[in-house]
Amino acid sequence: MASGGGPPFSLGVETHQGLAALTRAIRAEEDGKELRKELAANMREALKPGAQQAKSSIMGMVSLHGATPALRTSIARKIRPEVKLGGRWSGARVKAFKTKNIRGFANAPKRTNRASGWRHPVWGNREVWTHQRGKLEWFDRAFRGREGLYKQAVEQAMEDMARRIASRAR
C-alpha cells in the first residue's frame, strides 16, 4: 500500500482526523509529552513486523558482485517504521530511507524496487556502463496481503491510548 502518488516506499495509515484528535487530547494532558512518546513507540512497534518483512525481502535479492559495502545490507539498514504526530503529515508508515553514502547510490531502495532498474559504471570505469535490475517490487510485495493487519495494529495502539485518556477524564 503506497502512500500518495509518490514512490512505493511507505505503508501509510490514513486516519488523519482520528489521529489529529488524539494528538490534541494528548497535548491537553498534564503528562502529554510522555503520552505522545508512548503512543509513537507503540505505533512503531506495531509496524516492526512489516519493516522486518521488507528487510528480509531485500536480502533475498540476488547479489551479482561481491563489492563492499554490500548493497542489500545497506538498504536493509535503512528500512524502519516512521511515526509523526502533527505537522504537515501525521501517521505511521514503514519507509526505506535513502542510502546516501553507499557507493554514490543514494536512491538504491527506489531503484532496486522498480522494473527499469539502474545504470552504473563497470568497476568504476566511467567509459563502460551496464544496466542492472534488482528484485522487482521487493518493498511492495513485502506488504501485499498484510496491509490491513498493520493498519489494524496501528489503529489498535491509537485506540488504546484514546481509551487511556478517556478513562482519566472520568
Side-chain angles (χ1 to χ4, degrees), residues 56-170:
S56 296
S57 183
I58 189 58
M59 292 306 289
M61 183 175 85
V62 175
S63 178
L64 300 176
H65 305 289
T68 55
L71 183 62
R72 295 173 302 172
T73 305
S74 299
I75 293 171
R77 275 193 214 119
K78 294 292 192 167
I79 298 171
R80 60 184 166 266
E82 178 184 48
V83 174
K84 289 188 179 181
L85 304 173
R88 290 178 56 196
W89 179 85
S90 293
R93 63 186 172 187
V94 174
K95 189 172 179 181
F97 292 87
K98 286 188 174 191
T99 52
K100 292 180 182 163
N101 298 323
I102 306 304
R103 296 189 238 157
F105 194 15
N107 289 319
K110 182 178 176 180
R111 300 281 191 257
T112 56
N113 190 61
R114 67 183 195 184
S116 61
W118 69 96
R119 285 176 33 92
H120 62 88
V122 177
W123 298 108
N125 181 353
R126 296 277 207 205
E127 302 293 320
V128 183
W129 288 70
T130 187
H131 189 84
Q132 190 171 344
R133 286 186 171 75
K135 184 177 179 185
L136 183 61
E137 294 185 352
W138 61 266
F139 189 87
D140 304 332
R141 288 181 184 171
F143 300 102
R144 207 164 279 148
R146 296 182 195 91
E147 299 96 339
L149 178 71
Y150 300 126
K151 184 175 181 178
Q152 182 181 8
V154 168
E155 288 174 347
Q156 185 63 48
M158 291 168 51
E159 187 66 35
D160 291 346
M161 184 59 69
R163 274 196 214 103
R164 187 169 158 188
I165 292 171
S167 69
R168 289 179 169 192
R170 294 179 191 164

Side-chain angles (χ1 to χ4, degrees), residues 8-28:
F9 291 101
S10 62
L11 176 71
V13 176
E14 308 300 331
T15 56
H16 296 291
Q17 295 84 9
L19 185 56
L22 181 57
T23 304
R24 280 192 302 276
I26 288 173
R27 236 183 258 133

